[in-house]
Amino acid sequence: MSSVFDYLREQNEEFLDSLYCSTWACKAVFQSLSALAKNYAIRLMFLQDHTFTSNDLVSWVKCGKEKLNVVVIKELLLLKILKRKEKKTFFMSEYFRENLKMALADPVAPWNSQMHDIN
């Protein structure tokens, strides 16, 4: 059985960028990530220089667990949270970065905007 997140992994960058304009969608996608991918997303949101290499990320995992880095990068690339700048250089989707920051700063806000639409 496939999930909505399987569907999202198959979508193009333009579609996902438009989805990531919603704090609600960013929060839902963030919650679906693996624990390590969530850790990466939080850390990457606050990088001064928005570009980084896969080698930069390897330093965030325990020695002997470097293969997890590849799995997490693939997970984030499939959801277009990370985008490739060059072969081993990446950056985080600006839409995802900014709207996830808003969703996490006010964890009720994504749900409140939906409640106003219902009433």
Side-chain angles (χ1 to χ4, degrees), residues 9-116:
R9 287 180 192 95
E10 297 172 1
Q11 300 308 304
N12 64 33
E13 185 174 329
E14 184 179 326
F15 176 85
L16 288 172
D17 280 347
S18 68
L19 180 71
Y20 295 153
C21 287
S22 162
T23 55
W24 180 88
C26 288
K27 184 174 181 177
V29 170
F30 176 77
Q31 290 174 333
S32 78
L33 296 174
S34 68
L36 188 55
K38 286 177 186 172
N39 185 304
Y40 277 28
I42 295 294
R43 288 178 175 214
L44 294 171
M45 278 193 319
F46 298 103
L47 283 181
Q48 293 299 326
D49 178 11
H50 296 303
T51 62
F52 51 91
T53 67
S54 56
N55 290 338
D56 294 331
L57 302 179
V58 168
S59 68
W60 295 352
V61 295
K62 290 182 181 179
C63 188
K65 302 287 185 179
E66 293 84 0
K67 290 182 181 180
L68 286 175
N69 187 55
V70 174
V71 172
V72 171
I73 289 174
K74 184 176 179 182
E75 178 181 2
L76 295 172
L77 283 170
L78 285 171
L79 288 166
K80 314 305 188 276
I81 293 169
L82 291 188
K83 298 178 182 185
R84 227 179 262 285
K85 186 172 184 175
E86 296 170 11
K87 185 176 182 183
K88 289 190 174 189
T89 305
F90 306 93
F91 64 98
M92 187 177 214
S93 162
E94 198 62 35
Y95 298 107
F96 189 84
R97 173 197 317 272
E98 293 307 315
N99 285 298
L100 182 60
K101 278 183 188 178
M102 286 191 292
L104 295 176
D106 185 2
V108 179
W111 311 117
N112 278 346
S113 64
Q114 296 297 315
M115 296 304 286
H116 293 296

